[in-house]
Amino acid sequence: PPPPSSTSSPPAAVDGVPLRPAVFCTVADLRPQSLGHNLKLKVVKSDLMLEHKRPDGTTIRVAEVVVGDSTGTVILTARNEQIDVCKPGNYVVVRNAKVDMFRNFMRLSVNKWGNIKLDPTPQEFAVDTANDVSAVEYELVRVETEEAVGAPEPTHGGRGGRGGRGGRGGRGAHSH
């Protein structure tokens, strides 16, 4: 069965105010530059891309992890302790993930405001490896509004490039 699109776990409470239950989406729902995604995923493959020891003795690790659900796969950029959870075959819950663009391709990442944890109640599912959303190249298209078409480029003060009275060494009328 496919992973549920939402969960009905009892919401926790903060200062007496109940929290809303998390809404889970699927890999197929991911869009460029979007954020706040909660997903239940299976780890397909993990490749350590960088392991760098810093002068203070700490180590930085970055891995590209192929994760997916029944709707497709995506590359997750995992860092440091996130890598330890992302072992092939593990079912993970990704909270508050965002979609970054890397060379015009989508990558899923989780910063300090989100987390990646082992799924406490994994529901086994087959990962759709045929639909790799990280393999789709996106192109930035500038959309011009009607007002912008044919309008002259804005000028910034006109004198010296920084506006005002000639500004930093500009050759405006008031420079001596």
Side-chain angles (χ1 to χ4, degrees), residues 1-175:
S5 59
S6 66
T7 181
S8 60
S9 61
V14 175
D15 296 328
V17 179
L19 298 177
R20 292 181 311 216
V23 177
F24 288 85
C25 67
T26 63
V27 170
D29 296 331
L30 299 176
R31 298 291 174 256
Q33 302 293 318
S34 57
L35 44 88
H37 300 292
N38 297 314
L39 300 109
K40 291 191 175 206
L41 303 167
K42 181 177 181 180
V43 179
V44 178
K45 181 174 87 165
S46 180
D47 292 322
L48 190 62
M49 303 304 288
L50 172 76
E51 189 163 8
H52 176 73
K53 194 161 185 101
R54 293 175 31 184
D56 63 2
T58 58
T59 302
I60 296 175
R61 297 181 302 153
V62 178
E64 283 189 349
V65 182
V66 177
V67 293
D69 61 16
S70 61
T71 65
T73 61
V74 65
I75 295 176
L76 169 73
T77 303
R79 300 176 190 283
N80 301 324
E81 61 277 349
Q82 294 174 348
I83 297 170
D84 301 331
V85 177
C86 295
K87 301 287 184 216
N90 282 356
Y91 287 86
V92 294
V93 177
V94 178
R95 302 270 186 162
N96 202 24
K98 65 178 184 166
V99 177
D100 292 319
M101 297 305 290
F102 177 72
R103 297 183 181 157
N104 295 335
F105 294 94
M106 290 198 310
R107 293 282 191 275
L108 195 64
S109 68
V110 177
N111 61 15
K112 67 179 181 178
W113 304 110
N115 62 45
I116 302 173
K117 293 184 178 174
L118 284 173
D119 192 343
T121 58
Q123 295 180 339
E124 293 197 17
F125 52 85
V127 175
D128 179 7
T129 55
N131 181 25
D132 183 0
V133 298
S134 291
V136 178
E137 184 171 7
Y138 289 84
E139 182 179 345
L140 178 64
V141 178
R142 294 189 181 266
V143 179
E144 297 204 14
T145 62
E146 288 182 30
E147 298 147 5
V149 175
E153 287 294 316
T155 57
H156 302 284
R159 295 191 219 194
R162 286 192 168 254
R165 295 260 201 224
R168 304 195 173 205
R171 294 172 31 155
H174 295 285
S175 295

